[in-house]
Amino acid sequence: MSNDPRLDLAAKASATSGSDTWHSTGVEGVLRPLHLADGPHGLRHQPDEGDHLGIGGSVPSTCFPPAVGLGSTWNPALVRRVGAALGSEASSLGVDVVLGPGMNIKRSPLCGRNFEYVSEDPHVTARIAAALVEGIQSQGVGACVKHFAANNQETDRHRVSAEVDDRTLREIYLPAFEEVIRTTEPAMVMSSYNRLNGTYTSQDPWLLTELLRDEWGFDGVVVSDWGAVVDRVAAVRAGLDLEMPPSGTDHLVVAAVERGELDESVLDTVVERLKRVQERVSTDTSRPLEHEANDALAREAAREALVLLKNEGGALPLAADRSVAVVGEFARTPRYQGGGSSHVVPTKVHSALEEFGTAVEAGTLKSVRFAAGFTLDGTEDPALVEDAVAAAREADTTVLFLGLPDSAESEGYDRTTISLPAPQLELLARVREAGEQVVVVLSNGGVVSVSEWQDRADAVLEGWLLGQAGGAAVVDVLTGAASPSGRLTETIPVRLRDHATYLNFPGENSEVRHGEGVFVGYRHFDTLDVPVAYPFGYGLTYTSFAYSGLEVTPAGGQDGENAWTVSFTVTNTGDRPGQEVAQLYTGVEQDHPTRPVRELRGFAKVALEPGESARIDLPLTGRDLSVWDAGDQRWSLAAGTYTVAVGASSRDLPLRAEITTAGDRYVRKLTKYCTVGEWRTHPIGGPVMEEVIASFPGLDDVPAEMLEMARSLPIITLRTFGLGVTEEMLDLLVDDIEARRQAAVARGEITG
Ligand code: BGC
């Protein structure tokens, strides 16, 4: 890294922290201050000093659906357009870097911030987040992926240590970050508040340097989450470029350099990285804000985010001759985003109630009568309930808006239940008794349970948090002006206690053990065949689809024999246009599972007219079938047969095929600390070991259980059994096997 002669030590140190809540520090002639702003689904641009908790006001900006909604669209092309709109608003407002997307895995449905995250699955998280980054960055604005890493709860978030084993990190919590960083090159990465296996992520050299930069090739800026830095010097040394907001501790960085505890070249590197980001971004404040067009886009995205869970007796779409009772305060006062730093002041808000009125005017519905039914602050008002019951009694259909109030979920704290508020469920029971047909529309950022009440509804439409145009989008889908096409990115459990994390969330004594390992979300439910209310990937439409013609063909390419194309046909077999989300899962047969029975590896959303078919090709790679080998720190593809399944959800997979592969032909190095069992099954060491064993007289008579016991002995222990084996003999054996292994690698017979 070149040392810029225009910068003295103090100036370099000042660049490693911001100048205020939203700006990096400028250095005359070298660095211009970068303007950063939340957030993931709309801008929280605070032109004045501002705050970072979403308490103070901000300039009105389009509030797109939060990540929970964008994820449910399963539509990266649409999300890219949302990203571009977000980027263009940022550019107009002079915001250089948008602090999003959030891409942590929804480990538990109780995480208060799940509305800001995409999914319980890394593949869909990666695809949606990548699309958002590409869109934002297409406008000359930087994106900042967050919160790196394993920030899966809000409880004790500034101190908690997520205790996660290596394989689980690599297979569940890191892959989305890895893919987005490798494929979209975001300008920034935000380290999280929490500790990971005991070390604060903002001062973890393995995470911020070895993995992120050396292995994944990230060359942008790592910024701390706001207020996350505990030990300033340790953070800079570990690879954290920018502390935000500034804690006024630059002098500690200077002192550490002067004392020889921190190499000054580390600061030069920070300056180079900041320069690189500033060269990549260029905002244009003369650009007009396109609030009208972006509101229309927010409505389109919200429509695709809606997930139709249940639709009996053709309850939906609502027929034009229906009189409708619209019940529930959420219809008039929509809950369309979550609380905390992502909170946006919208440019306008569409309520479902006002859109119902428009539908009546347009003749799409016969009549609408509104009753609030409940209050949002939880105070009970029997008169509201009676009014709602009366409205339901008169109407052909009651559309009941239920959900979680703002106070139930937010950044900064977790939920303790996934139930809807009891007064709302009592209202549903009363309305059910009075009304002919009941359609429930939900507003919630994290999953809510449906099992205890859904029998009382003819139809259930999961509306998540849909952004400022959500109310309009809901009416579009209820009336059939648009078809529902969202799918679940997280499983809806029957009971909270069925969830894999139930006993390990949110931990205690500032420690949370990820005891379920890789069995997160559907990976747990499907592997153990636990009944669920609605599975991962699920969602109904107003039409039907059929799957046929599965073919798996080798694709060649870089990965040679370990790359395939999975092709199949989807046909719209109903009588309305609709969109299907075709999903590809892989798995491996196991007697006692150590891997999930199936994992999402691809998907495609297709729009089809009635009777129309589409042929879909999805790529599959060796990495998709691999597990992380924590021993040798590498992805491992074992030889064998893998299953490929295609369909409409993790539990509706009509097409199945098998792939057989020779694997990656990796042969590991043997040492004297490997066990007898590992030696005997090793392709090079095994035959030699058999010869050695055969040379010992009397071993034939050793009882089978003793031989079995010996399997777990590291061979170094053989010195102590009076067999005449010495450490020197073992060293010679190890060297010999290693020489043979290296020769086989050189001949291309194996990899190693
Ligand atoms: C949040 C970040 C956010 C930052 C700035 C923090 O509290 O965790 O997601 O970008 O504040 O507002």
Side-chain angles (χ1 to χ4, degrees):
M1 255 337 114
S2 67
N3 181 355
D4 193 317
R6 292 167 297 179
L7 293 174
D8 61 14
L9 177 57
K12 288 180 204 173
S14 75
T16 66
S17 71
S19 61
D20 63 28
T21 311
W22 300 121
H23 295 89
S24 65
T25 301
V27 178
E28 188 71 40
V30 182
L31 290 173
R32 71 179 167 83
L34 291 169
H35 183 174
L36 320 175
D38 285 310
H41 61 269
L43 288 171
R44 192 162 66 87
H45 168 57
Q46 298 184 311
D48 305 322
E49 167 61 0
D51 64 89
H52 77 93
L53 298 171
I55 298 165
S58 53
V59 170
S61 293
T62 309
C63 179
F64 293 98
V68 60
L70 292 180
S72 300
T73 69
W74 294 66
N75 189 340
L78 175 61
V79 174
R80 202 167 290 119
R81 287 168 53 214
V82 169
L86 201 55
S88 90
E89 288 194 19
S91 177
S92 305
L93 295 172
V95 170
D96 295 298
V97 178
V98 174
L99 299 174
M103 23 188 326
N104 296 101
I105 294 293
K106 300 188 200 212
R107 172 176 177 246
S108 161
L110 297 177
C111 174
R113 219 173 170 180
N114 273 357
F115 66 89
E116 274 193 71
Y117 301 139
V118 177
S119 175
E120 66 191 19
D121 175 84
H123 180 76
V124 65
T125 298
R127 297 270 304 274
I128 295 298
L132 210 55
V133 172
E134 283 165 4
I136 292 169
Q137 300 203 148
S138 71
Q139 303 302 302
V141 165
C144 176
V145 298
K146 63 188 188 184
H147 308 88
F148 191 58
N151 180 181
N152 311 100
Q153 66 184 57
E154 294 297 286
T155 304
D156 206 10
R157 66 173 171 163
H158 289 266
R159 298 184 307 188
V160 73
S161 177
E163 299 293 309
V164 198
D165 67 78
D166 208 27
R167 187 182 144 209
T168 302
L169 271 178
R170 291 290 190 156
E171 294 184 19
I172 302 292
Y173 296 103
L174 295 175
F177 282 106
E178 178 181 1
E179 188 173 333
V180 170
I181 283 158
R182 286 188 194 273
T183 60
T184 69
E185 299 182 10
M188 287 196 183
V189 168
M190 185 188 291
S191 64
S192 53
Y193 285 127
N194 56 289
R195 290 177 294 145
L196 173 58
N197 294 325
T199 305
Y200 280 104
T201 61
S202 47
Q203 53 198 57
D204 185 341
W206 172 74
L207 192 69
L208 302 189
T209 298
E210 282 175 49
L211 181 76
L212 181 63
R213 300 183 192 284
D214 301 347
E215 194 179 317
W216 297 349
F218 177 67
D219 72 354
V221 161
V222 179
V223 61
S224 70
D225 199 345
W226 266 229
V229 175
V230 176
D231 180 333
R232 192 65 202 293
V233 174
V236 176
R237 193 185 289 117
L240 185 99
D241 301 299
L242 184 60
E243 181 203 41
M244 290 298 290
S247 59
T249 53
D250 294 345
H251 62 282
L252 297 179
V253 176
V254 171
V257 173
E258 285 169 349
R259 282 201 301 269
E261 291 164 11
L262 180 68
D263 201 326
E264 191 168 346
S265 68
V266 173
L267 307 187
D268 295 322
T269 306
V270 170
V271 171
E272 287 305 317
R273 290 178 186 142
L274 284 162
K275 273 195 208 163
R276 249 196 321 265
V277 168
Q278 93 182 15
E279 278 155 18
R280 281 178 62 179
V281 299
S282 63
T283 60
D284 178 1
T285 48
S286 67
R287 205 167 153 170
L289 284 159
E290 296 183 50
H291 285 159
E292 279 307 312
N294 290 349
D295 182 61
L297 179 59
R299 180 170 180 163
E300 189 184 339
R303 275 186 201 140
E304 292 213 14
L306 283 151
V307 183
L308 182 59
L309 297 177
K310 174 177 177 177
N311 190 15
E312 279 176 5
L316 293 177
L318 298 168
D321 59 357
R322 306 295 283 183
S323 62
V324 176
V326 175
V327 176
E329 185 57 53
F330 290 118
R332 179 168 61 184
T333 313
R335 175 146 185 265
Y336 56 93
Q337 64 176 330
S341 63
S342 68
H343 201 271
V344 175
V345 173
T347 59
K348 58 165 91 165
V349 176
H350 303 252
S351 76
L353 188 56
E354 123 205 354
E355 294 299 326
F356 269 118
T358 310
V360 173
E361 276 165 30
T364 317
L365 289 174
K366 195 163 101 187
S367 64
V368 165
R369 174 178 163 186
F370 173 69
F374 55 87
T375 61
L376 293 182
D377 65 8
T379 47
E380 302 207 15
D381 185 344
L384 292 183
V385 176
E386 296 314 320
D387 187 35
V389 170
R393 195 171 293 126
E394 281 171 19
D396 297 322
T397 302
T398 302
V399 181
L400 179 54
F401 287 78
L402 303 179
L404 298 178
D406 278 328
S407 58
E409 48 183 357
S410 163
E411 175 179 344
Y413 55 91
D414 295 317
R415 290 188 290 166
T416 53
T417 168
I418 57 169
S419 298
L420 285 172
Q424 292 188 25
L425 295 183
E426 281 154 28
L427 177 68
L428 168 61
R430 294 288 312 280
V431 162
R432 166 80 280 172
E433 278 166 22
E436 195 185 312
Q437 197 175 49
V438 178
V439 173
V440 170
V441 178
L442 293 171
S443 300
N444 47 295
V447 152
V448 292
S449 61
V450 298
S451 306
E452 67 271 35
W453 57 261
Q454 65 166 336
D455 285 355
R456 300 198 164 119
D458 299 281
V460 181
L461 186 61
E462 174 54 89
W464 305 118
L465 304 179
L466 294 172
Q468 66 181 47
V474 165
V475 177
D476 290 340
V477 166
L478 290 174
T479 58
S483 279
S485 66
R487 301 291 187 270
L488 294 180
T489 57
E490 51 192 313
T491 311
I492 304 183
V494 173
R495 309 171 307 173
L496 178 60
R497 66 177 53 197
D498 295 334
H499 213 273
T501 53
Y502 188 66
L503 298 175
N504 280 316
F505 184 96
E508 55 194 358
N509 301 324
S510 296
E511 195 172 283
V512 58
R513 202 160 55 85
H514 286 222
E516 71 287 351
V518 297
F519 296 95
V520 173
Y522 70 90
R523 286 166 165 81
H524 157 76
F525 293 112
D526 288 359
T527 302
L528 297 186
D529 218 3
V530 177
V532 299
Y534 292 105
F536 177 82
Y538 173 89
L540 298 173
T541 64
Y542 292 154
T543 186
S544 52
F545 297 94
Y547 287 77
S548 60
L550 177 63
E551 281 175 324
V552 182
T553 45
Q558 261 199 341
D559 196 16
E561 65 263 39
N562 290 322
W564 302 267
T565 302
V566 178
S567 314
F568 52 93
T569 300
V570 180
T571 305
N572 182 342
T573 52
D575 53 13
R576 295 176 69 106
Q579 295 193 74
E580 174 67 326
V581 178
Q583 300 157 43
L584 161 65
Y585 296 82
T586 61
V588 57
E589 291 296 329
Q590 307 150 89
D591 293 335
H592 184 97
T594 56
R595 298 180 65 171
V597 282
R598 67 188 69 97
E599 300 184 85
L600 183 77
R601 297 303 189 207
F603 65 87
K605 189 167 193 175
V606 276
L608 295 171
E609 293 296 317
E612 195 188 355
S613 293
R615 189 83 185 147
I616 295 172
D617 295 328
L618 296 176
L620 196 62
T621 64
R623 163 82 184 255
D624 290 328
L625 305 178
S626 299
V627 286
W628 180 255
D629 172 354
D632 283 2
Q633 291 288 300
R634 57 180 290 279
W635 289 102
S636 160
L637 176 58
T641 300
Y642 296 83
T643 53
V644 171
V646 170
S649 81
S650 81
R651 294 204 175 178
D652 176 12
L653 296 167
L655 303 182
R656 282 165 197 269
E658 286 186 343
I659 289 178
T660 300
T661 167
D664 54 25
R665 296 176 299 120
Y666 177 80
V667 175
R668 69 158 42 163
K669 181 177 174 177
L670 282 174
T671 71
K672 55 194 173 191
Y673 303 104
C674 292
T675 63
V676 171
E678 286 161 358
W679 272 81
R680 292 186 76 176
T681 53
H682 192 271
I684 301 169
V688 176
M689 192 56 143
E690 296 311 318
E691 276 174 34
V692 173
I693 289 172
S695 69
F696 283 102
L699 276 187
D700 299 356
D701 301 336
V702 173
E705 65 274 19
M706 283 202 65
L707 283 179
E708 189 55 30
M709 245 174 77
R711 287 181 65 80
S712 64
L713 291 177
I715 64 164
I716 183 84
T717 62
L718 299 180
R719 289 174 311 183
T720 57
F721 290 115
L723 296 167
V725 174
T726 64
E727 187 156 357
E728 290 68 38
M729 290 164 74
L730 293 174
D731 285 336
L732 284 174
L733 185 64
V734 166
D735 289 348
D736 175 46
I737 300 301
E738 181 54 12
R740 295 188 205 199
R741 192 182 74 96
Q742 301 264 358
V745 172
R747 289 193 301 273
E749 292 164 11
I750 59 169
T751 61

